[in-house]
Amino acid sequence: MNAQTKRMLLVFGTFLTGLVLCFGVVLLITGRATAPAVLSAPAIGGPFHLVDQDGRAISDDDLKGKPFLVFFGFTHCPDICPTTLFEVSEVMRRLGKDADRTAALFVTVDPERDTADKMKDYLASFDPHLRGITGDPAALAAVAKEYRVYYKKVPLDGGDYTMDHTAIVYLMDKTGRFVAPFNLRRTPEAAAEDLRRYL
Ligand SMILES: [Cu+2]
């Protein structure tokens, strides 16, 4: 396991712990552990206005009516991002025609390098339903904050840099509300079946 993978796992773990604590506190306060509405109480996600890999404007409004997956990452990522995008592509493939009724967003945390053109090149290796999202760094930072995504530039020897980032795939329902982290540690068929339930 290299240093970057370890850092990502750490970031992932910290987020999950926070999420569990958050849910736990809500459950304690309300005392209603079975009410599903309570579980969506910590708001994750929200409005955004950014651009996709074709340079087209995309906003949260464009996704209304579709359940969607959101993943934050960057095209120079050595392992986690390409692996995740590959797995999401497999899920999309298993959805067949239903994939058109969902969306999958890959939002960059590295807008400095990930221009729309760069995203387009990169996503050519994955399922065409995946949309690469980039834009103004301040607007991207605001969206990352909405999703409680942590990211940070990490300098490398020789002047280059990499990014630490939260590596969670968020499942959002067709109203744009956060459902749960989308589990990819199962067969693509099972994951596709799960996503299909939110159509
Ligand atoms: Cu990554």
Side-chain angles (χ1 to χ4, degrees):
M1 196 186 288
N2 68 26
Q4 172 141 25
T5 310
K6 272 186 200 149
R7 274 201 304 270
M8 282 189 174
L9 286 176
L10 189 71
V11 168
F12 182 71
T14 309
F15 176 92
L16 275 191
T17 309
L19 205 62
V20 166
L21 283 177
C22 208
F23 284 168
V25 168
V26 170
L27 294 177
L28 279 178
I29 290 168
T30 63
R32 293 195 328 223
T34 52
V38 169
L39 291 178
S40 58
I44 291 179
F48 65 87
H49 290 86
L50 295 165
V51 286
D52 73 5
Q53 75 274 23
D54 295 312
R56 286 179 306 200
I58 175 167
S59 78
D60 51 301
D61 268 344
D62 300 324
L63 301 168
K64 292 274 153 67
K66 293 178 171 184
F68 61 98
L69 301 177
V70 190
F71 180 69
F72 290 76
F74 65 114
T75 64
H76 285 70
C77 182
D79 42 29
I80 307 267
C81 291
T83 304
T84 304
L85 293 175
F86 173 77
E87 288 169 349
V88 170
S89 294
E90 289 296 293
V91 174
M92 288 289 140
R93 212 155 61 85
R94 298 309 192 289
L95 278 174
K97 269 194 168 331
D98 284 341
D100 296 340
R101 298 164 58 207
T102 70
L105 309 183
F106 176 53
V107 185
T108 186
V109 294
D110 184 15
E112 191 178 318
R113 292 185 293 198
D114 290 341
T115 59
D117 280 349
K118 174 75 195 174
M119 295 290 260
K120 194 180 171 94
D121 272 1
Y122 184 69
L123 288 175
S125 312
F126 301 100
D127 184 275
H129 293 91
L130 269 161
R131 288 178 82 180
I133 310 297
T134 185
D136 173 60
L140 284 163
V143 176
K145 201 172 171 196
E146 284 178 344
Y147 281 86
R148 302 182 190 196
V149 163
Y150 157 89
Y151 65 99
K152 187 170 179 283
K153 205 180 217 181
V154 180
L156 295 173
D157 293 340
D160 213 355
Y161 67 91
T162 186
M163 303 293 296
D164 273 358
H165 66 95
T166 303
I168 291 174
V169 177
Y170 299 85
L171 169 60
M172 311 299 287
D173 72 12
K174 48 179 155 180
T175 68
R177 278 225 305 258
F178 172 67
V179 177
F182 192 65
N183 176 14
L184 290 165
R185 304 275 88 81
R186 51 187 166 173
T187 64
E189 288 81 6
E193 247 352 277
D194 187 17
L195 184 50
R196 206 172 252 131
R197 294 194 294 131
Y198 297 90
L199 285 172

